[in-house]
């Protein structure tokens, strides 16, 4: 999953990016409102964490511009502005969640994971589909309640994206956009490599190739 972090505090941005990457997200960072607005409108993200007190363009205006442009990117506002009326303003501008600083990283990660699952129609706390159970904390997968199998960072990102979009045909370019961040330049065949690795761990039938179109997850052939 690919995440946009819009945060002007360089120390906090660096720390958050590290924690979010460890949690299995490809993270792009924008250090001001203008950059954040642009990235949110031109790149494909699965979720954004947005500060409000930003240089060049306030975070609330960034959010309004995204929504006015029809951008439904899920947004968690992360800010020191924690008065009740400021939270109301955030939700009215289109925020999906609101977390006040200071905060615990565990709470932020839990909110990000819960929001993504809820938006993709998962009611249970664990990602579970077609007999595949993904443990987002341990980065392991269980097939039909069997023994947990460890996943590498890219395998985990790829499988989580497939499981949040079951039955959807996903092209290689689409998967690349949502598994890697902007400052990486992966080989063109890297998705095929990691899908083959996942098939060895999950079984060959859970990720299906639709020749000339892409891949889909969740139907056994």
């Amino acid at each position: 999953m690919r995440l946009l972090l819009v945060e002007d505090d360089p120390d906090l941005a660096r720390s958050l990016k590290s924690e979010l990457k460890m949690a299995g997200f490809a993270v792009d960072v924008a250090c001001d409102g203008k950059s954040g607005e642009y990235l949110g409108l031109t790149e494909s993200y699965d979720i954004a964490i947005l500060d409000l007190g930003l240089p060049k363009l306030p975070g609330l205006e960034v959010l309004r511009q995204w929504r006015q442009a029809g951008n439904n990117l899920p947004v968690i506002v992360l800010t020191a502005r924690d008065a009740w009326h400021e939270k109301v303003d955030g939700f009215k501008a289109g925020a999906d969640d609101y977390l006040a600083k200071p905060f615990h990283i565990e709470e932020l990660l839990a909110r990000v994971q819960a929001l993504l699952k809820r938006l993709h129609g998962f009611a249970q706390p664990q990602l579970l589909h077609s007999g595949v159970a993904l443990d987002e904390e341990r980065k392991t997968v269980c097939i039909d309640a069997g023994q947990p199998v460890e996943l590498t960072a890219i395998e985990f990102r790829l499988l989580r994206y497939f499981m949040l979009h079951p039955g959807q045909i996903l092209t290689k370019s689409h998967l690349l956009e949502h598994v890697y961040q902007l400052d990486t330049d992966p080989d063109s065949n890297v998705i095929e490599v990691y899908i083959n690795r996942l098939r060895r761990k999950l079984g060959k039938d859970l990720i299906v190739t639709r020749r000339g179109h892409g891949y889909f997850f969740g139907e056994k052939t």
Side-chain angles (χ1 to χ4, degrees):
M1 308 294 286
R2 192 172 172 202
L3 183 150
L4 174 60
L5 173 62
V6 189
E7 170 61 61
D8 66 323
D9 182 328
D11 292 335
L12 180 57
R14 193 178 307 111
S15 170
L16 280 177
K17 182 175 182 178
S18 175
E19 294 283 357
L20 289 162
K21 287 181 70 175
M22 288 176 60
F25 293 92
V27 182
D28 293 329
V29 177
C31 301
D32 61 70
K34 279 288 185 184
S35 300
E37 180 199 17
Y38 176 77
L39 287 176
L41 290 174
T42 57
E43 297 291 331
S44 297
Y45 293 104
D46 299 290
I47 193 166
I49 297 173
L50 176 66
D51 188 13
L52 293 187
L54 295 168
K56 298 186 180 179
L57 189 67
L60 215 54
E61 190 57 33
V62 172
L63 186 52
R64 290 194 182 103
Q65 294 296 328
W66 287 347
R67 295 312 187 225
Q68 287 173 11
N71 187 340
N72 294 321
L73 175 66
V75 174
I76 296 177
V77 169
L78 184 66
T79 179
R81 302 175 184 177
D82 61 350
W84 69 267
H85 58 86
E86 292 172 315
K87 295 179 183 178
V88 170
D89 289 343
F91 285 118
K92 284 183 175 179
D96 297 279
D97 199 357
Y98 200 110
L99 182 60
K101 299 175 182 175
F103 62 96
H104 293 284
I105 185 65
E106 292 85 355
E107 182 178 0
L108 176 61
L109 293 176
R111 286 174 182 258
V112 168
Q113 291 165 350
L115 179 57
L116 284 172
K117 282 197 277 284
R118 188 167 65 249
L119 291 173
H120 288 279
F122 286 83
Q124 70 272 24
Q126 187 178 38
L127 270 179
L128 178 63
H129 199 284
S130 299
V132 179
L134 186 66
D135 188 323
E136 294 180 86
E137 291 190 9
R138 294 180 174 84
K139 312 291 184 299
T140 60
V141 61
C142 292
I143 311 300
D144 297 327
Q147 291 297 311
V149 177
E150 290 188 4
L151 299 171
T152 66
I154 299 299
E155 290 169 356
F156 173 76
R157 288 184 196 174
L158 192 56
L159 180 57
R160 180 166 59 183
Y161 196 82
F162 270 124
M163 291 184 71
L164 287 171
H165 302 82
Q168 296 182 30
I169 296 178
L170 304 170
T171 65
K172 283 197 293 185
S173 59
H174 181 98
L175 290 167
L176 280 169
E177 282 184 349
H178 290 269
V179 173
Y180 289 94
Q181 57 208 42
L182 273 177
D183 58 0
T184 56
D185 185 22
D187 292 337
S188 58
N189 67 342
V190 69
I191 292 297
E192 291 170 330
V193 171
Y194 280 104
I195 284 177
N196 285 333
R197 291 185 183 181
L198 281 175
R199 281 171 171 158
R200 286 197 290 272
K201 294 184 176 181
L202 304 176
K204 63 180 181 180
D205 296 333
L206 281 167
I207 300 176
V208 179
T209 301
R210 182 66 56 85
R211 196 168 299 279
H213 297 278
Y215 307 91
F216 67 90
F217 169 87
E219 293 182 16
K220 295 181 179 179
T221 59

